[in-house]
Amino acid sequence: MIYIAATGMLNALGNDSQQIAAHLKQGKAPGMQRCQGWLSSGRACWLGRVEGALPPIPAALRAHNTRNNQLLLAALAQIRPALDAAITRYGASRVAIVLGTSTSGVDEGDEQIRGSQPDYHYQMQELGDPSRFLAHYLRLDGPAYTISTACSSSARAIISGERLIAAGLADVALVGGADSLSRMPINGFDSLASLSERRCAPFSRDRDGISIGEGAALMLLTREPQPLALLGAGESSDAWHMSAPHPEGEGAERAMRMALQRASLQPAQIGYINLHGTATPLNDQMEAGVIQRLFSNRVPCSSTKHLTGHTLGAAGICEAALSTLILQENLPLPAQDFSEAAQDETLPDFGLLLRPQALQRPVIASNSFAFGGNNTCLILGRVS
């Protein structure tokens, strides 16, 4: 079994676990705001922003000076004692780094084209830069690479870290990811008519798309027993469509069934499901059907993207980290918010939470589905 030794995160809910826990209980996200200046059309849009100052990139690593990497440093600071202890114990060559991202330093590339990025280096926007940066920053020489499979990227980073440890290629793995706000994906989703005109409202009747967010999270995976563990993981690639999910969710269901099988669990043993729940018409309809088919309405579930925004390549780790926080702190399960948009009553009864409630079984599944039919499901739980 692979255990979770430490978790650090920041997103629109807050800049550390304490802030995030407090705002998650309140169902409020200070960083979810209506913003100007991002869309080429001149319209405003809702975005999930990380507020406040971020750690600076050291001058010696200025070729990696991106907001993405600053977000990673902020998450890293929260778990640095546990990581340093692992490096001391196992050595710099036995610590792997696997990260997921969709944007890397693309926004810095955009600023360079616009003439407002004075110290630009092309490698800033390479997808491999986040893991390369952390390896240089931490002076590690174990396996280090970045995965970019759109919205499942950082969930796959977790799965890859687990495999590296299981294969004996590393003793511990620093896994996670980051994505920062960038004009390119924001306008890209707008061109697909997938960007919401308001704060996104997953599973609502008039849902009209996502709200993009930024954030980062890191987990330290280990063989050494800890209170929390990665109980199982599932993945699939149905390749149904470039941007639309399979209408029956065949690949999504395969990923969930694989995760349950690898965790040796039955559906009724799951205590909560953090849904992918993007608030696009097709995703929510597909996911509701799959959850009803596999879990009936017996397992409480909700999406937290109305509180963080869709953090794209960082979504998998951000939502897995929220799940571990719920498990660690015994937080109430977050309800779906229909205060500004009515629930879609045409969807099947699939256990959607309409009010917060206590976690009854200390096991949480977290779904992440991506463009191209790239699907993941992680099952995390308390083991002691």
Side-chain angles (χ1 to χ4, degrees), residues 231-233 257-267 269-270 379:
L231 302 178
R257 288 189 182 277
M258 182 187 294
L260 287 166
Q261 181 183 23
R262 290 183 172 173
S264 299
L265 293 171
Q266 296 299 313
Q269 293 176 278
I270 302 297
I379 299 180

Side-chain angles (χ1 to χ4, degrees), residues 21 29-30 33 65 139 144 152 166 187 190 209 228 233 236 240 242 249-250 258 290 306 325 363 368 371:
Q33 301 172 11
N65 188 15
R139 299 181 180 178
S152 63
N187 283 276
D190 189 49
L228 296 180
S236 70
W240 170 258
M242 182 63 74
E250 290 183 1
M258 182 187 294
V290 171
H306 64 290
L325 188 62
V363 181
S368 294
F371 280 3

Side-chain angles (χ1 to χ4, degrees), residues 1-7 90 94 96 155 157-175 219-233 262-263 324 327 378-384:
M1 184 179 293
I2 300 299
Y3 298 91
I4 302 166
T7 303
Y90 297 111
R94 300 295 298 170
I158 296 171
I159 296 170
S160 296
E162 176 193 33
R163 286 179 176 149
L164 288 172
I165 296 172
L169 297 174
D171 290 305
V172 294
L174 181 64
V175 299
M219 283 183 181
L220 189 63
L221 302 184
T222 177
R223 290 194 198 93
E224 296 297 320
Q226 304 287 333
L228 296 180
L230 176 62
L231 302 178
R262 290 183 172 173
T324 63
L327 289 163
L378 306 172
I379 299 180
L380 311 120
R382 282 203 301 265
V383 291
S384 63

Side-chain angles (χ1 to χ4, degrees), residues 133-268:
F133 162 68
L134 279 190
H136 290 328
Y137 181 81
L138 294 166
R139 299 181 180 178
L140 299 178
D141 51 14
Y145 58 94
T146 306
I147 294 172
S148 189
T149 53
C151 308
S152 63
S153 300
S154 53
R156 286 194 177 274
I158 296 171
I159 296 170
S160 296
E162 176 193 33
R163 286 179 176 149
L164 288 172
I165 296 172
L169 297 174
D171 290 305
V172 294
L174 181 64
V175 299
D179 260 335
S180 50
L181 292 175
S182 172
R183 283 169 19 104
M184 188 182 77
I186 292 170
N187 283 276
F189 276 97
D190 189 49
S191 71
L192 291 172
S194 295
L195 194 70
S196 181
E197 294 285 341
R198 58 191 174 192
R199 186 179 67 136
C200 71
F203 305 102
S204 68
R205 184 176 57 208
D206 299 319
R207 63 188 184 275
D208 60 350
I210 72 173
S211 298
I212 292 179
E214 65 178 358
L218 292 169
M219 283 183 181
L220 189 63
L221 302 184
T222 177
R223 290 194 198 93
E224 296 297 320
Q226 304 287 333
L228 296 180
L230 176 62
L231 302 178
E235 52 191 341
S236 70
S237 184
D238 58 56
W240 170 258
H241 187 273
M242 182 63 74
S243 60
H246 188 286
E248 299 301 321
E250 290 183 1
E253 183 171 348
R254 284 202 307 275
M256 283 183 262
R257 288 189 182 277
M258 182 187 294
L260 287 166
Q261 181 183 23
R262 290 183 172 173
S264 299
L265 293 171
Q266 296 299 313

Side-chain angles (χ1 to χ4, degrees), residues 316-341:
I317 184 65
C318 284
E319 291 165 29
L322 286 179
S323 300
T324 63
L325 188 62
I326 291 169
L327 289 163
Q328 284 175 319
E329 304 295 332
N330 292 311
L331 298 177
L333 298 178
Q336 209 63 67
D337 185 358
F338 295 114
S339 61
E340 299 175 7

Side-chain angles (χ1 to χ4, degrees), residues 93-104:
S93 66
R94 300 295 298 170
V95 180
I97 299 175
V98 191
L99 303 177
T101 190
S102 286
T103 63
S104 192

